[in-house]
Amino acid sequence: MLTLAGGLESSHLVVELTASVGEPHMSSPTCRCVIATAWAVVAALAVPSGSVAQLGRLDGWKSELAEAIDGRRKFTANIVDQIFSFAELGFQEFETSAYVVDLLRENGFTVEEGVAGIPTAWVAIWGSGRPKISLGTDIDNIPKASQTPGVACHLPLVEGAPGHGEGHNSGMAVQITAALAVKELMEREGLQGTIQIWPGVAEELVATKAYYVRERMFEDVDIVLYAHVGNNLSTSWGMTPGTGLISAMFTFEGSAAHAGGAPWRGRSAADAVNLMEVGWNFRREHLRTQHRSHSIVYDGGDQPNVVPSKASIWFYFREKNYPQIRDLFAIGDSVARGAAMMTGTVLDDVRIIGTAWPGHFNQVIAEAMYENIQKVGLPQWTEDDQRFARATQREVGGSETGLATELSVLRPALTEAQRTAGFADDIGDISWNVPTATLSFPSNIPGLPGHHWANAMAMATPIAHKGATQGAIAQAMTLLDFIVQPDLVDMAWDYFENIQNREIQYTPFIRPSDQPATEMNAEIMGNFREEMRKYYYDPDRYDSYLDQLGVSYPTLRQADGRCTIGSVSEQGGLN
């Protein structure tokens, strides 16, 4: 808290100036003008955010942050390893959320749990006043991706169990380490500002961030600094190369009957599921080449001698822009209704499981972030790191290029023709409601399949630890930039309002009646959780998760083709 001459506290001045407009809504130009005026008046009276004195010390503060975070490498690595060991699927991240919430409360954050009606979702807050900077990252993982880390061949910890086959165990380590370092500096220097931290629950189902927006989690946020695991230290601005999507479950209701004795008395919901799949595949030829669509039979009935009275099929409909996504979903719905008519069944329910807008990232934030990325640089990889990376790439038939040794360039805005990727992330919904940019940090290996056990191999190794530390330094520097330079916040909002949203306005895909699918994955986690508990990381007893598992890093496939670490083998798993 800064105290001005005569005892006037700077935060009180900001409150007085904003009181006439109530709680500020950051998308309101009037409110943003009032807040900017408040900052300007405070700047004239004291040493607040954005003062000449602070700007003169910014480079020195960044050096201090880098040194402080480097000194917390073990802290960062422990978070990476702990969340890796929990290995929880979307909506079932109970151990992960409990661990992170406790950690944040121990470090002075106030945490609200169960936000947006989602048991594993929460929002943590520290600080006061403007700017309010929001840090988010995902925490869920991938089915059937269990993998012993540090072993460059397929060796599940628990056969058939989920695992961090994308690397979402590392993002919280980046965000928390960065936030705590900046928090300590703010406390020491009396800097004003608020830090918000939240988890991307069930990102692999793209199933929560639209509900966060509906819950107005970001209404008073100035900017969002998102973080996601990658294989380089990078960021970008403009439209993302990928898609947006609607994920929907189509459930048909028929009539049961004895499939051998009186099948004519039944109406098969499974037939409707099969016909919807067939019908969609015929229609696929006549869809835009930019689209992606895929499905699984979620419920095909109970047993062959009973005509299925209930059956469900789960579709992802992906396209490049809001109108095309909406239209693609409408086509899917019409195919489902046709399948019901052909089979004499009823389309009982069309449930939205998840949605994602195509993302658009902020140029001002990305450029500030990239300046810090250039200061930080990539980790210093050892020969062991590179050997492990090349062996992992070889294991999945990829190019043996090893880990990145040169920084990616700052990717500018893409043209529509350049947006050729098929992935989606529901950070897109947030990016259309508040200025947002994503930091990609180098905790994983290039050239892997994605959503695969191979993508878990490095995620509790020195590669993941080093990448998370470099990411935390870059994120902390960017967070500090926006804490002490309010002009950057205004510039980010100018881009957001006058360029990004000039012709496109956000309309959610979720309907008012839709609710988060919080029961998803409960049965799978119930089947595996007790066995997985045996392998939860215990940092009080072991220096690292590799140490606990008895893995000598790096462990490569043996010359005779076996994949083993003594008591662990690809034939039998842990025993």
Side-chain angles (χ1 to χ4, degrees), residues 248-517:
M249 187 83 70
F250 296 84
T251 298
F252 298 88
E253 183 174 351
S255 301
H258 193 300
W264 53 87
R265 298 185 65 175
R267 296 293 181 270
S268 174
D271 287 350
V273 161
N274 289 331
L275 281 172
M276 181 180 181
E277 176 81 2
V278 170
W280 183 259
N281 285 331
F282 275 104
R283 184 63 187 267
R284 189 190 301 271
E285 178 186 359
H286 309 290
L287 300 173
R288 283 172 26 115
T289 56
Q290 295 93 329
H291 104 284
R292 300 283 192 279
S293 55
H294 19 272
S295 64
I296 63 164
V297 175
Y298 190 74
D299 177 6
D302 299 306
Q303 58 190 61
N305 65 336
V306 179
V307 174
S309 59
K310 282 273 190 181
S312 300
I313 186 168
W314 185 6
F315 269 88
Y316 273 32
F317 301 104
R318 302 180 188 259
E319 253 285 7
K320 292 296 179 183
N321 298 300
Y322 174 84
Q324 284 83 20
I325 299 165
R326 178 197 59 205
D327 293 348
L328 196 65
F329 173 64
I331 294 170
D333 186 70
S334 68
V335 172
R337 295 182 187 283
M341 292 175 64
M342 286 189 286
T343 55
T345 60
V346 174
L347 180 58
D348 182 57
D349 184 46
V350 181
R351 185 181 185 188
I352 302 296
I353 302 296
T355 67
W357 260 67
H360 188 122
F361 294 134
N362 191 274
Q363 181 178 0
V364 175
I365 303 174
E367 288 178 347
M369 185 178 285
Y370 192 71
E371 284 189 20
N372 293 316
I373 285 171
Q374 290 177 301
K375 289 184 175 77
V376 174
L378 289 167
Q380 295 297 308
W381 307 119
T382 65
E383 180 53 34
D384 281 344
D385 295 332
Q386 292 288 10
R387 283 178 60 224
F388 181 74
R390 290 191 294 268
T392 300
Q393 291 164 337
R394 180 167 61 250
E395 187 72 14
V396 295
S399 298
E400 297 178 36
T401 56
L403 299 166
T405 56
E406 294 184 6
L407 282 175
S408 297
V409 299
L410 174 63
R411 197 201 71 214
L414 300 174
T415 66
E416 185 69 17
Q418 291 172 319
R419 296 179 57 221
T420 57
F423 60 80
D425 189 320
D426 51 353
I427 188 63
D429 289 76
I430 295 171
S431 76
W432 288 97
N433 285 273
V434 61
T436 301
T438 293
L439 173 74
S440 179
F441 56 93
S443 283
N444 217 325
I445 297 169
L448 303 184
H451 291 185
H452 190 270
W453 45 260
N455 292 75
M457 289 177 172
M459 288 314 305
T461 72
I463 294 171
H465 302 158
K466 294 172 186 176
T469 291
Q470 297 301 101
I473 296 171
Q475 195 76 302
M477 289 180 174
T478 308
L479 175 56
L480 186 64
D481 276 331
F482 285 86
I483 290 289
V484 302
Q485 298 180 88
D487 286 351
L488 280 180
V489 176
D490 290 333
M491 291 165 62
W493 274 90
D494 182 67
Y495 176 91
F496 179 79
E497 292 173 336
N498 298 315
I499 297 178
Q500 178 180 341
N501 282 279
R502 182 172 55 201
E503 297 178 353
I504 300 174
Q505 295 297 314
Y506 175 80
T507 303
F509 289 118
I510 57 172
R511 304 160 298 195
S513 60
D514 290 324
Q515 297 298 323

Side-chain angles (χ1 to χ4, degrees), residues 169-244:
N169 60 299
S170 55
M172 271 299 163
V174 170
Q175 301 290 54
I176 292 174
T177 303
L180 295 185
V182 174
K183 171 179 174 286
E184 288 181 4
L185 189 147
M186 292 173 69
E187 288 173 325
R188 188 189 75 205
E189 301 294 336
L191 302 180
Q192 180 175 284
T194 303
I195 301 173
Q196 178 192 71
I197 305 178
W198 50 271
V201 169
E203 188 279 329
E204 299 300 350
L205 304 176
V206 288
T208 59
K209 296 187 184 81
Y211 292 104
Y212 292 173
V213 171
R214 189 167 78 180
E215 193 73 7
R216 303 171 76 176
M217 266 177 56
F218 306 100
E219 187 177 42
D220 62 345
V221 165
D222 287 290
I223 66 165
V224 172
L225 300 178
Y226 192 59
H228 197 280
V229 63
N231 53 60
N232 207 308
L233 197 57
S234 63
T235 190
S236 61
W237 60 273
M239 291 295 294
T240 64
T243 62

